[in-house]
Amino acid sequence: VPDQPSIRTQRLLLRPWRDDDREPFGALNADPEVMEHFPATLTRAESDAFVDRIEAHFARYGYGLWVVEVDGEHAGFVGLQTVTFEASFVPAVEVGWRLARPYWGRGLASEGARAALDYAFDEVRLDEVVSFTAVDNVRSWRVMERVGMSRAGVFDHPRVPEGHRLRPHVLYRIRPADRTW
Ligand SMILES: CC(C)(COP(=O)(O)OP(=O)(O)OC[C@H]1O[C@@H](n2cnc3c(N)ncnc32)[C@H](O)[C@@H]1OP(=O)(O)O)[C@@H](O)C(=O)NCCC(=O)NCCS
């Protein structure tokens, strides 16, 4: 879809999806280390179906989970997504991230998250953005804390079966005035 926004940061290009993103994204979703805090790794078909849903979200809302490009390479996604399950904090837009293993440990997820939050607050004009992850996913909630989000509680994710290790989630939120950058 033309006219979809791309965002440049110091080290990243956040851009819409292209067909040639599907292969590296499929590889990332098949990596057990990347998917440790999700119920399962994804098959290529499941990964492609996820990309279809991401593109539908961009078409509907004008923003979404952007491809993260680093030095011309597909590194994963960072962006904004409408929450589609029922919970006390919904309706809400979440900020989220998933990077291929070689791109961890460089501050790239938090750099992308700040750009996505600026877009949410300054372009979409949202007054709050949430984020959540399985309690065990310390790397992910450290990104939330690094970008100045505050812990707002814990909840059981309704899409994860009762008793599953991934069901307990931490919830974080941020408002425009909380930005530390
Ligand atoms: C969650 C995820 C994106 C976090 O990536 P990350 O690289 O740890 O996060 P950041 O971009 O904030 O980088 C922070 C790390 O980079 C280091 N770093 C290096 N340079 C940095 C810089 N300029 N700025 C900030 N941090 C920097 C930090 O010290 C920290 O490393 P540490 O964890 O060893 O202390 C990544 O682990 C991932 O994709 N996981 C799999 C998918 C997933 O679980 N997604 C979330 C689901 S809710």
Side-chain angles (χ1 to χ4, degrees), residues 11 33-35 37-38 97-100 103-111 132-134 137 139-140 142-144 146:
R11 294 176 292 175
E33 201 174 357
V34 171
M35 299 304 281
H37 301 288
F38 293 88
W97 34 75
R98 187 181 300 178
L99 298 181
Y103 299 95
W104 296 11
R106 297 166 56 185
L108 299 173
S110 29
E111 183 171 320
F132 46 83
T133 189
N137 195 350
R139 278 186 184 282
S140 187
R142 284 215 192 289
V143 178
M144 298 170 198
R146 210 169 273 127

Side-chain angles (χ1 to χ4, degrees), residues 11 13 15 18 20-21 68-75 103:
R11 294 176 292 175
L13 175 62
R15 59 158 176 81
R18 301 189 308 238
D20 64 356
D21 290 310
V68 174
E69 198 177 289
V70 180
D71 298 331
E73 302 285 340
H74 177 110
Y103 299 95

Side-chain angles (χ1 to χ4, degrees), residues 13-168:
L13 175 62
L14 305 186
R15 59 158 176 81
W17 290 70
R18 301 189 308 238
D19 278 346
D20 64 356
D21 290 310
R22 289 176 181 244
E23 189 188 326
F25 190 58
L28 170 171
N29 286 321
D31 180 344
E33 201 174 357
V34 171
M35 299 304 281
E36 179 185 352
H37 301 288
F38 293 88
T41 55
L42 301 187
T43 64
R44 177 62 193 269
E46 289 166 338
S47 179
D48 284 352
F50 184 19
V51 176
D52 292 342
R53 290 196 301 276
I54 292 171
E55 294 195 309
H57 191 289
F58 271 104
R60 178 165 174 186
Y61 297 101
Y63 58 86
L65 300 176
W66 287 278
V67 170
V68 174
E69 198 177 289
V70 180
D71 298 331
E73 302 285 340
H74 177 110
F77 68 68
V78 170
L80 305 168
Q81 192 175 26
T82 304
V83 182
T84 56
F85 55 81
E86 275 187 50
S88 60
F89 57 88
V90 177
V93 173
E94 65 162 315
V95 60
W97 34 75
R98 187 181 300 178
L99 298 181
R101 189 67 190 83
Y103 299 95
W104 296 11
R106 297 166 56 185
L108 299 173
S110 29
E111 183 171 320
R114 289 186 190 99
L117 288 166
D118 281 341
Y119 193 89
F121 295 141
D122 300 335
E123 305 298 329
V124 190
R125 300 266 160 207
L126 300 175
D127 61 13
E128 181 173 274
V129 172
V130 302
S131 194
F132 46 83
T133 189
V135 171
D136 291 349
N137 195 350
V138 178
R139 278 186 184 282
S140 187
W141 57 256
R142 284 215 192 289
V143 178
M144 298 170 198
E145 296 191 340
R146 210 169 273 127
V147 303
M149 303 187 84
S150 304
R151 197 178 279 212
V154 292
F155 68 103
D156 285 335
H157 197 303
R159 296 237 171 98
V160 181
E162 267 179 59
H164 194 287
R165 68 178 171 96
L166 296 175
R167 190 159 153 97

